[in-house]
């Protein structure tokens, strides 16, 4: 039987952004943090490189801002960039205070800082090459120490509940319907504030570095609730994902190139200097397109990332995770180059928010990769993503705290109605549609695009949408069905956004419009004007 729950704050997503927000709220509040599967299944845990921040005396806020603006292809919102960078040191100090074991210089109390593509200084603070795991494990341990924070695994948000959904006037988020996979029922969660911290949508592509849950859930739910989305045409492809049939989605951290790793063709020839004077340290969009170009030009399956010219002890100490993982596949990176290919990695667009993470719907916040703050522009600068999680989680928590006394607990929310649906005996349709969607998105909405490819993708996704909507209306919801429904919607929004951009900028490169327009403008989609 379905249950009704009440919380002061409902956080949908258990990664860096969601946990940080929960930990920045007072212990007097009842907080629920939902995870679709196990708590560690999100993208945070697998982040290798680190967090970008101005921590060294030789570095400056202005330098970090300028690097971000350059990487963003003229499309970053400078006020968002400055806000993020100016709060970077304080965010890192908060993580240190939580107990995150960042790597220090040998025999020193100073933290070791590395450099990544697009950065003019060493400013990436890290925990060896497993920064995400170190941060996540620390924050999770802290959250478990707080009795007011409930960590709920196997809980999949289906849709947001707003006043309009209940037939009431005004616009406010009142909670969410959530599939409890333990009971099989859809429960009702009422909350004074709801926070979307669901990550990105890279699972829309056939090849991705992301975990299986990166399905754009928060973006889709916010859109259906009436929130605007922005810049969804900008999907970052990580240039160096390990190419091996059993590796699935293991990426090779950008820091390998930051510490001198070289990209080579099968014959051992370097190729990046032909594409950019910064070589291997060019921003990710340039490196990914260069690799894609060489693979297509030569008809090869991968290129190679070589750091074997560095001392073996240096490699093992700086990149223990990469070393051990590659060794498990028979690749000794101290002696051999690493086979790599680009893979979908990061969603630069998302739900429109302000400096406090507020969306178009009062009571609803979006933080982390699911949001569009304006920080990343047309291309995310390496390691700015985790920083954005912490800065905006803290800002959103402060905004929620300032409103607490004004907002009452929602009451009389109706239970989920499953009276008109039955159990499905055709789940093969879900698997087939999932596979078709990810394949045509990879083929037609990938690193290099054309109008014809985008139009073909648009036609395909709309046919899929009608099939999915019919299935959703007649059968009980499951995690697979919820994710497919969300992913197809976000794919459609990505395609529409790409069709609207009549230029090549940052991560959006189209053969039909190879030049860049003089004026940079965001692509903003409004529910009700584009999509019904």
């Amino acid at each position: 039987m379905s249950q009704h729950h009440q919380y002061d704050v409902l956080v949908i997503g258990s990664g860096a952004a969601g946990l940080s927000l929960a930990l920045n709220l007072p212990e007097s509040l009842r907080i629920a943090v939902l995870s679709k599967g196990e708590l560690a299944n999100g993208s945070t845990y697998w982040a290798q490189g680190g967090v970008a921040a101005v921590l060294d005396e030789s570095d400056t806020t202005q330098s970090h801002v300028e690097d971000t603006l350059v990487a963003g292809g003229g499309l970053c919102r400078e006020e968002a960039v400055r806000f993020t960078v100016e709060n970077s040191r304080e965010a890192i100090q908060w993580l240190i205070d939580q107990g995150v074991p960042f790597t220090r210089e040998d025999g020193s109390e100073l933290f070791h800082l590395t450099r990544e593509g697009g950065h003019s200084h060493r400013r990436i603070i890290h925990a060896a090459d497993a920064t995400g795991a170190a941060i996540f494990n620390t924050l999770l341990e802290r959250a478990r120490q707080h009795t007011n924070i409930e960590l709920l695994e196997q809980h999949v948000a289906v849709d947001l509940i707003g006043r309009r959904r209940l037939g009431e006037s005004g616009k406010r988020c009142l909670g969410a319907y959530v599939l409890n996979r333990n009971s099989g029922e859809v429960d009702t969660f009422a909350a004074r504030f709801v926070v979307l911290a669901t990550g990105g949508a890279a699972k829309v592509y056939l090849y991705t570095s992301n975990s299986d849950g990166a399905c754009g859930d928060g973006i889709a739910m916010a859109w259906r609730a009436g929130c605007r989305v922005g810049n969804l045409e900008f999907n970052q492809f990580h240039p160096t994902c390990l190419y091996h049939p059993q590796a699935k989605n293991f990426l090779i951290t950008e820091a390998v190139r930051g510490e001198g790793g070289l990209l080579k063709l099968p014959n051992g020839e370097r190729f990046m200097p032909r594409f950019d004077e910064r070589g291997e340290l060019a921003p990710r969009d340039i490196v990914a397109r260069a690799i894609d170009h060489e693979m297509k030009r030569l008809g090869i399956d991968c290129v190679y990332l070589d750091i074997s010219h560095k001392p073996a002890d240096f490699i093992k100490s700086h990149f223990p995770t990469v070393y051990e993982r590659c060794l498990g596949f028979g690749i000794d990176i101290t002696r051999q180059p690493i086979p790599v290919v680009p893979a979908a990695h990061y969603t630069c667009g998302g739900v429109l928010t302000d400096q406090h993470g507020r969306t178009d719907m009062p009571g609803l916040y979006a933080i982390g990769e699911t949001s569009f703050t304006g920080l990343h522009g047309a291309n995310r600068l390496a390691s700015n993503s985790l920083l954005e999680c912490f800065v905006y989680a803290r800002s959103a928590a402060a905004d929620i705290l300032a409103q607490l006394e004004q907002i009452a607990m929602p009451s009389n929310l109706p239970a989920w109605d499953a009276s008109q649906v039955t159990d499905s005996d055709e789940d093969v349709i879900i698997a087939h549609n999932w596979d078709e969607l990810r394949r045509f998105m990879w083929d037609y909405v990938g690193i290099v695009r054309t109008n014809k490819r985008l139009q073909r993708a648009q036609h395909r996704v709309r046919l899929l949408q009608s099939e999915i909507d019919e299935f959703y209306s007649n059968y009980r919801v499951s995690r697979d069905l919820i994710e497919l429904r969300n992913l197809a919607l976000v794919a459609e929004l990505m395609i529409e956004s790409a069709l609207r951009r009549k230029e090549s900028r940052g991560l959006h490169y189209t053969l039909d419009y190879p030049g860049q327009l003089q004026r940079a403008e965001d692509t903003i989609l409004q529910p009700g004007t584009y999509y019904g």
Side-chain angles (χ1 to χ4, degrees), residues 118-141:
H119 289 275
S120 57
H121 289 78
R122 284 181 172 267
R123 63 167 67 102
I124 315 301
I125 189 170
H126 61 101
D129 61 347
T131 308
I135 290 173
F136 174 81
N137 288 333
T138 301
L139 297 184
L140 180 61
E141 181 181 354

Side-chain angles (χ1 to χ4, degrees), residues 251-267:
L251 67 83
I252 307 300
T253 173
E254 185 119 1
V256 172
R257 283 178 283 133
E259 294 295 341
L262 302 174
L263 285 165
K264 298 179 179 180
L265 299 175
N267 65 2

Side-chain angles (χ1 to χ4, degrees), residues 157-205:
V158 181
D159 258 328
L160 300 170
I161 306 172
R163 283 177 177 164
R164 291 184 183 178
R165 187 183 184 109
L166 305 182
E168 299 177 1
S169 61
K171 188 177 182 181
R172 184 170 184 88
C173 190
L174 306 175
Y177 290 117
V178 178
L179 171 64
N180 182 342
R181 297 180 71 202
N182 301 305
S183 66
E185 299 288 343
V186 175
D187 295 339
T188 305
F189 280 70
R192 297 160 73 187
F193 302 92
V194 177
V195 182
L196 297 172
T198 55
K203 202 66 180 179
V204 75
Y205 289 104

Side-chain angles (χ1 to χ4, degrees), residues 257-258 260-282 287 290-291 294 297-298 300 303-307 309 337:
R257 283 178 283 133
L262 302 174
L263 285 165
K264 298 179 179 180
L265 299 175
N267 65 2
E269 174 194 347
R270 283 184 69 198
F271 59 89
M272 275 311 303
R274 288 193 275 112
F275 293 89
D276 194 283
E277 63 182 11
R278 291 165 290 187
E280 283 76 7
L281 290 178
V287 179
I291 294 173
E294 292 300 292
R297 180 177 72 87
L298 298 173
I300 54 179
V303 297
Y304 295 87
L305 178 58
D306 191 1
I307 197 169
H309 52 279

Side-chain angles (χ1 to χ4, degrees), residues 96-114:
I96 294 170
D97 292 343
Q98 301 306 304
V100 177
F102 290 116
T103 299
R104 298 182 186 270
E105 296 278 6
D106 292 338
S108 169
E109 286 299 306
L110 296 175
F111 291 105
H112 180 269
L113 303 176
T114 190

Side-chain angles (χ1 to χ4, degrees), residues 11 53 56 65 76 80 135 140 161 172 176 202 207 242 246 248 250-251 259 326 349 365 377 382 456 479 516:
V11 182
D56 188 82
V65 167
C76 298
I135 290 173
L140 180 61
I161 306 172
R172 184 170 184 88
Y207 301 110
L242 177 62
Q246 296 173 329
K248 194 177 179 181
F250 185 73
L251 67 83
E259 294 295 341
C326 288
Y365 294 75
R456 191 171 293 174
R479 172 174 172 169
Q516 185 170 291

